[in-house]
mmCIF file of all heavy atoms in Angstrom:
data_model
loop_
_atom_site.group_PDB
_atom_site.id
_atom_site.type_symbol
_atom_site.label_atom_id
_atom_site.label_comp_id
_atom_site.label_asym_id
_atom_site.label_seq_id
_atom_site.Cartn_x
_atom_site.Cartn_y
_atom_site.Cartn_z
ATOM 1 N N ARG H 94 109.466 158.381 100.779
ATOM 2 C CA ARG H 94 109.702 157.726 102.063
ATOM 3 C C ARG H 94 108.435 157.275 102.764
ATOM 4 O O ARG H 94 108.483 156.380 103.607
ATOM 5 C CB ARG H 94 110.576 158.607 102.955
ATOM 6 C CG ARG H 94 111.950 158.825 102.329
ATOM 7 C CD ARG H 94 113.039 159.109 103.301
ATOM 8 N NE ARG H 94 114.311 159.265 102.590
ATOM 9 C CZ ARG H 94 115.490 159.386 103.182
ATOM 10 N NH1 ARG H 94 115.564 159.354 104.500
ATOM 11 N NH2 ARG H 94 116.579 159.533 102.480
ATOM 12 N N ARG H 98 108.344 153.577 104.153
ATOM 13 C CA ARG H 98 107.900 153.252 105.509
ATOM 14 C C ARG H 98 106.752 152.244 105.494
ATOM 15 O O ARG H 98 106.683 151.352 106.345
ATOM 16 C CB ARG H 98 107.465 154.526 106.226
ATOM 17 C CG ARG H 98 108.609 155.477 106.565
ATOM 18 C CD ARG H 98 108.098 156.726 107.255
ATOM 19 N NE ARG H 98 109.181 157.626 107.628
ATOM 20 C CZ ARG H 98 109.025 158.732 108.341
ATOM 21 N NH1 ARG H 98 107.824 159.076 108.767
ATOM 22 N NH2 ARG H 98 110.071 159.495 108.639
ATOM 23 N N GLY H 127 119.742 150.189 105.628
ATOM 24 C CA GLY H 127 120.093 150.951 106.816
ATOM 25 C C GLY H 127 119.356 152.272 106.863
ATOM 26 O O GLY H 127 118.917 152.730 107.927
ATOM 27 N N THR H 128 119.202 152.897 105.693
ATOM 28 C CA THR H 128 118.380 154.102 105.593
ATOM 29 C C THR H 128 116.958 153.792 106.028
ATOM 30 O O THR H 128 116.325 154.560 106.764
ATOM 31 C CB THR H 128 118.390 154.636 104.147
ATOM 32 O OG1 THR H 128 119.736 154.880 103.741
ATOM 33 C CG2 THR H 128 117.572 155.909 104.021
ATOM 34 N N GLY H 129 116.439 152.640 105.570
ATOM 35 C CA GLY H 129 115.091 152.238 105.930
ATOM 36 C C GLY H 129 114.919 151.991 107.418
ATOM 37 O O GLY H 129 113.899 152.363 108.010
ATOM 38 N N ALA H 130 115.917 151.375 108.037
ATOM 39 C CA ALA H 130 115.841 151.128 109.475
ATOM 40 C C ALA H 130 115.693 152.442 110.245
ATOM 41 O O ALA H 130 114.905 152.542 111.192
ATOM 42 C CB ALA H 130 117.080 150.373 109.944
ATOM 43 N N LEU H 131 116.423 153.462 109.816
ATOM 44 C CA LEU H 131 116.316 154.763 110.473
ATOM 45 C C LEU H 131 114.956 155.403 110.230
ATOM 46 O O LEU H 131 114.424 156.099 111.101
ATOM 47 C CB LEU H 131 117.437 155.687 109.994
ATOM 48 C CG LEU H 131 118.851 155.260 110.403
ATOM 49 C CD1 LEU H 131 119.886 156.190 109.800
ATOM 50 C CD2 LEU H 131 118.988 155.206 111.926
ATOM 51 N N GLU H 132 114.371 155.156 109.053
ATOM 52 C CA GLU H 132 113.025 155.654 108.797
ATOM 53 C C GLU H 132 112.010 155.019 109.748
ATOM 54 O O GLU H 132 111.056 155.667 110.183
ATOM 55 C CB GLU H 132 112.629 155.390 107.346
ATOM 56 C CG GLU H 132 113.320 156.296 106.341
ATOM 57 C CD GLU H 132 113.033 157.768 106.600
ATOM 58 O OE1 GLU H 132 111.858 158.162 106.656
ATOM 59 O OE2 GLU H 132 114.006 158.528 106.765
ATOM 60 N N ALA H 133 112.213 153.752 110.076
ATOM 61 C CA ALA H 133 111.324 153.082 111.030
ATOM 62 C C ALA H 133 111.400 153.743 112.401
ATOM 63 O O ALA H 133 110.396 153.859 113.109
ATOM 64 C CB ALA H 133 111.684 151.604 111.130
ATOM 65 N N ALA H 134 112.599 154.175 112.783
ATOM 66 C CA ALA H 134 112.758 154.878 114.056
ATOM 67 C C ALA H 134 112.146 156.268 113.991
ATOM 68 O O ALA H 134 111.429 156.693 114.903
ATOM 69 C CB ALA H 134 114.243 154.971 114.418
ATOM 70 N N ARG H 135 112.417 156.976 112.901
ATOM 71 C CA ARG H 135 111.872 158.329 112.755
ATOM 72 C C ARG H 135 110.351 158.330 112.771
ATOM 73 O O ARG H 135 109.720 159.264 113.258
ATOM 74 C CB ARG H 135 112.381 158.946 111.451
ATOM 75 C CG ARG H 135 113.865 159.312 111.470
ATOM 76 C CD ARG H 135 114.345 159.726 110.101
ATOM 77 N NE ARG H 135 115.698 160.251 110.145
ATOM 78 C CZ ARG H 135 116.676 159.894 109.310
ATOM 79 N NH1 ARG H 135 116.439 158.989 108.349
ATOM 80 N NH2 ARG H 135 117.881 160.415 109.417
ATOM 81 N N ALA H 136 109.762 157.260 112.218
ATOM 82 C CA ALA H 136 108.302 157.143 112.169
ATOM 83 C C ALA H 136 107.718 156.627 113.484
ATOM 84 O O ALA H 136 106.497 156.547 113.633
ATOM 85 C CB ALA H 136 107.893 156.216 111.029
ATOM 86 N N ASN H 137 108.600 156.274 114.430
ATOM 87 C CA ASN H 137 108.158 155.741 115.723
ATOM 88 C C ASN H 137 107.245 154.533 115.567
ATOM 89 O O ASN H 137 106.191 154.429 116.212
ATOM 90 C CB ASN H 137 107.486 156.830 116.559
ATOM 91 C CG ASN H 137 108.478 157.668 117.338
ATOM 92 O OD1 ASN H 137 109.465 157.139 117.869
ATOM 93 N ND2 ASN H 137 108.248 158.974 117.391
ATOM 94 N N PHE H 138 107.676 153.601 114.718
ATOM 95 C CA PHE H 138 106.961 152.340 114.615
ATOM 96 C C PHE H 138 107.033 151.617 115.969
ATOM 97 O O PHE H 138 107.939 151.884 116.768
ATOM 98 C CB PHE H 138 107.573 151.464 113.526
ATOM 99 C CG PHE H 138 107.224 151.903 112.122
ATOM 100 C CD1 PHE H 138 107.955 151.433 111.041
ATOM 101 C CD2 PHE H 138 106.187 152.765 111.883
ATOM 102 C CE1 PHE H 138 107.635 151.823 109.745
ATOM 103 C CE2 PHE H 138 105.853 153.170 110.594
ATOM 104 C CZ PHE H 138 106.581 152.695 109.518
ATOM 105 N N VAL H 143 116.477 150.008 116.299
ATOM 106 C CA VAL H 143 116.900 149.830 114.906
ATOM 107 C C VAL H 143 118.421 149.816 114.837
ATOM 108 O O VAL H 143 119.104 150.426 115.662
ATOM 109 C CB VAL H 143 116.347 150.933 113.985
ATOM 110 C CG1 VAL H 143 114.830 151.008 114.068
ATOM 111 C CG2 VAL H 143 116.973 152.295 114.283
ATOM 112 N N GLY H 149 122.560 155.244 104.635
ATOM 113 C CA GLY H 149 122.484 156.690 104.502
ATOM 114 C C GLY H 149 121.816 157.289 105.726
ATOM 115 O O GLY H 149 120.888 156.704 106.297
ATOM 116 N N LEU H 150 122.264 158.462 106.139
ATOM 117 C CA LEU H 150 121.789 159.080 107.370
ATOM 118 C C LEU H 150 120.914 160.297 107.118
ATOM 119 O O LEU H 150 120.429 160.921 108.059
ATOM 120 C CB LEU H 150 122.975 159.487 108.255
ATOM 121 C CG LEU H 150 124.002 158.393 108.557
ATOM 122 C CD1 LEU H 150 125.124 158.963 109.418
ATOM 123 C CD2 LEU H 150 123.350 157.202 109.248
ATOM 124 N N ASP H 151 120.733 160.663 105.854
ATOM 125 C CA ASP H 151 119.957 161.860 105.532
ATOM 126 C C ASP H 151 118.492 161.667 105.864
ATOM 127 O O ASP H 151 117.989 160.545 105.930
ATOM 128 C CB ASP H 151 120.114 162.213 104.057
ATOM 129 C CG ASP H 151 119.626 161.086 103.151
ATOM 130 O OD1 ASP H 151 120.122 159.953 103.317
ATOM 131 O OD2 ASP H 151 118.744 161.332 102.305
ATOM 132 N N LYS H 152 117.799 162.753 106.073
ATOM 133 C CA LYS H 152 116.386 162.694 106.423
ATOM 134 C C LYS H 152 115.603 163.637 105.523
ATOM 135 O O LYS H 152 116.152 164.521 104.879
ATOM 136 C CB LYS H 152 116.163 163.058 107.886
ATOM 137 C CG LYS H 152 116.448 164.528 108.227
ATOM 138 C CD LYS H 152 116.200 164.802 109.695
ATOM 139 C CE LYS H 152 116.453 166.272 110.046
ATOM 140 N NZ LYS H 152 115.430 167.172 109.452
ATOM 141 N N ARG H 153 114.302 163.432 105.495
ATOM 142 C CA ARG H 153 113.413 164.347 104.801
ATOM 143 C C ARG H 153 112.813 165.313 105.817
ATOM 144 O O ARG H 153 112.870 165.073 107.035
ATOM 145 C CB ARG H 153 112.291 163.567 104.125
ATOM 146 C CG ARG H 153 111.389 162.863 105.135
ATOM 147 C CD ARG H 153 110.175 162.234 104.496
ATOM 148 N NE ARG H 153 109.272 161.747 105.536
ATOM 149 C CZ ARG H 153 108.086 161.209 105.282
ATOM 150 N NH1 ARG H 153 107.675 161.082 104.043
ATOM 151 N NH2 ARG H 153 107.299 160.799 106.262
ATOM 152 N N ASP H 155 109.921 166.564 107.931
ATOM 153 C CA ASP H 155 108.833 165.747 108.453
ATOM 154 C C ASP H 155 108.091 166.531 109.526
ATOM 155 O O ASP H 155 108.706 167.102 110.427
ATOM 156 C CB ASP H 155 109.405 164.451 109.049
ATOM 157 C CG ASP H 155 108.346 163.399 109.300
ATOM 158 O OD1 ASP H 155 107.208 163.779 109.637
ATOM 159 O OD2 ASP H 155 108.655 162.207 109.162
ATOM 160 N N GLN H 157 106.576 165.357 111.869
ATOM 161 C CA GLN H 157 106.783 164.694 113.158
ATOM 162 C C GLN H 157 108.172 164.983 113.733
ATOM 163 O O GLN H 157 108.552 164.437 114.747
ATOM 164 C CB GLN H 157 106.623 163.186 112.995
ATOM 165 C CG GLN H 157 105.238 162.755 112.574
ATOM 166 C CD GLN H 157 105.135 161.249 112.391
ATOM 167 O OE1 GLN H 157 106.136 160.575 112.183
ATOM 168 N NE2 GLN H 157 103.933 160.728 112.471
ATOM 169 N N GLU H 158 108.901 165.856 113.073
ATOM 170 C CA GLU H 158 110.307 166.074 113.412
ATOM 171 C C GLU H 158 110.516 166.428 114.880
ATOM 172 O O GLU H 158 111.530 166.085 115.476
ATOM 173 C CB GLU H 158 110.869 167.177 112.517
ATOM 174 C CG GLU H 158 112.368 167.252 112.475
ATOM 175 C CD GLU H 158 112.839 168.205 111.401
ATOM 176 O OE1 GLU H 158 112.755 167.861 110.218
ATOM 177 O OE2 GLU H 158 113.287 169.302 111.763
ATOM 178 N N ASP H 160 108.855 165.346 117.411
ATOM 179 C CA ASP H 160 108.533 164.248 118.313
ATOM 180 C C ASP H 160 109.796 163.538 118.806
ATOM 181 O O ASP H 160 110.784 163.428 118.083
ATOM 182 C CB ASP H 160 107.647 163.213 117.617
ATOM 183 C CG ASP H 160 106.275 163.771 117.261
ATOM 184 O OD1 ASP H 160 105.939 164.851 117.777
ATOM 185 O OD2 ASP H 160 105.567 163.120 116.476
ATOM 186 N N VAL H 161 109.749 163.051 120.019
ATOM 187 C CA VAL H 161 110.832 162.229 120.550
ATOM 188 C C VAL H 161 110.877 160.908 119.787
ATOM 189 O O VAL H 161 109.843 160.278 119.554
ATOM 190 C CB VAL H 161 110.625 161.968 122.056
ATOM 191 C CG1 VAL H 161 111.656 160.965 122.576
ATOM 192 C CG2 VAL H 161 110.703 163.269 122.836
ATOM 193 N N ILE H 162 112.062 160.482 119.378
ATOM 194 C CA ILE H 162 112.223 159.170 118.750
ATOM 195 C C ILE H 162 112.272 158.133 119.861
ATOM 196 O O ILE H 162 113.168 158.146 120.703
ATOM 197 C CB ILE H 162 113.503 159.113 117.895
ATOM 198 C CG1 ILE H 162 113.333 159.985 116.653
ATOM 199 C CG2 ILE H 162 113.830 157.671 117.497
ATOM 200 C CD1 ILE H 162 114.564 160.048 115.766
ATOM 201 N N PRO H 164 112.131 154.410 119.553
ATOM 202 C CA PRO H 164 113.016 153.242 119.402
ATOM 203 C C PRO H 164 114.484 153.639 119.600
ATOM 204 O O PRO H 164 114.912 154.730 119.206
ATOM 205 C CB PRO H 164 112.769 152.809 117.940
ATOM 206 C CG PRO H 164 111.437 153.399 117.582
ATOM 207 C CD PRO H 164 111.378 154.697 118.324
ATOM 208 N N VAL H 166 118.466 153.555 118.839
ATOM 209 C CA VAL H 166 119.116 153.635 117.525
ATOM 210 C C VAL H 166 120.591 153.282 117.638
ATOM 211 O O VAL H 166 121.309 153.818 118.491
ATOM 212 C CB VAL H 166 118.970 155.054 116.939
ATOM 213 C CG1 VAL H 166 119.722 155.170 115.615
ATOM 214 C CG2 VAL H 166 117.507 155.430 116.763
ATOM 215 N N PHE H 185 123.020 164.231 111.242
ATOM 216 C CA PHE H 185 122.327 163.118 111.892
ATOM 217 C C PHE H 185 122.458 163.207 113.407
ATOM 218 O O PHE H 185 121.472 163.018 114.136
ATOM 219 C CB PHE H 185 122.885 161.792 111.389
ATOM 220 C CG PHE H 185 122.354 160.596 112.125
ATOM 221 C CD1 PHE H 185 121.080 160.114 111.872
ATOM 222 C CD2 PHE H 185 123.124 159.961 113.090
ATOM 223 C CE1 PHE H 185 120.578 159.025 112.569
ATOM 224 C CE2 PHE H 185 122.640 158.867 113.783
ATOM 225 C CZ PHE H 185 121.359 158.403 113.526
ATOM 226 N N GLU H 188 120.157 165.753 114.645
ATOM 227 C CA GLU H 188 118.777 165.263 114.584
ATOM 228 C C GLU H 188 118.468 164.380 115.782
ATOM 229 O O GLU H 188 117.416 164.518 116.423
ATOM 230 C CB GLU H 188 118.557 164.479 113.299
ATOM 231 C CG GLU H 188 117.167 163.882 113.192
ATOM 232 C CD GLU H 188 117.037 162.846 112.078
ATOM 233 O OE1 GLU H 188 118.048 162.510 111.434
ATOM 234 O OE2 GLU H 188 115.910 162.354 111.884
ATOM 235 N N MET H 189 119.371 163.454 116.096
ATOM 236 C CA MET H 189 119.148 162.553 117.223
ATOM 237 C C MET H 189 119.065 163.329 118.538
ATOM 238 O O MET H 189 118.211 163.042 119.401
ATOM 239 C CB MET H 189 120.271 161.513 117.295
ATOM 240 C CG MET H 189 120.302 160.532 116.143
ATOM 241 S SD MET H 189 118.844 159.434 116.036
ATOM 242 C CE MET H 189 117.945 160.220 114.678
ATOM 243 N N ARG H 192 115.733 165.329 118.746
ATOM 244 C CA ARG H 192 114.550 164.488 118.959
ATOM 245 C C ARG H 192 114.704 163.582 120.175
ATOM 246 O O ARG H 192 113.918 162.669 120.386
ATOM 247 C CB ARG H 192 114.245 163.682 117.694
ATOM 248 C CG ARG H 192 113.826 164.586 116.531
ATOM 249 C CD ARG H 192 113.304 163.804 115.350
ATOM 250 N NE ARG H 192 112.095 163.044 115.680
ATOM 251 C CZ ARG H 192 111.458 162.258 114.816
ATOM 252 N NH1 ARG H 192 111.905 162.143 113.578
ATOM 253 N NH2 ARG H 192 110.385 161.596 115.180
#
Side-chain angles (χ1 to χ4, degrees):
R94 297 206 179 187
R98 290 179 178 186
T128 303
L131 294 176
E132 286 301 305
R135 289 172 172 133
N137 276 321
F138 285 164
V143 304
L150 307 179
D151 60 305
K152 68 180 181 69
R153 65 173 188 176
D155 194 326
Q157 297 179 338
E158 196 170 286
D160 294 347
V161 173
I162 290 178
V166 176
F185 173 77
E188 177 193 5
M189 293 295 103
R192 294 189 62 181

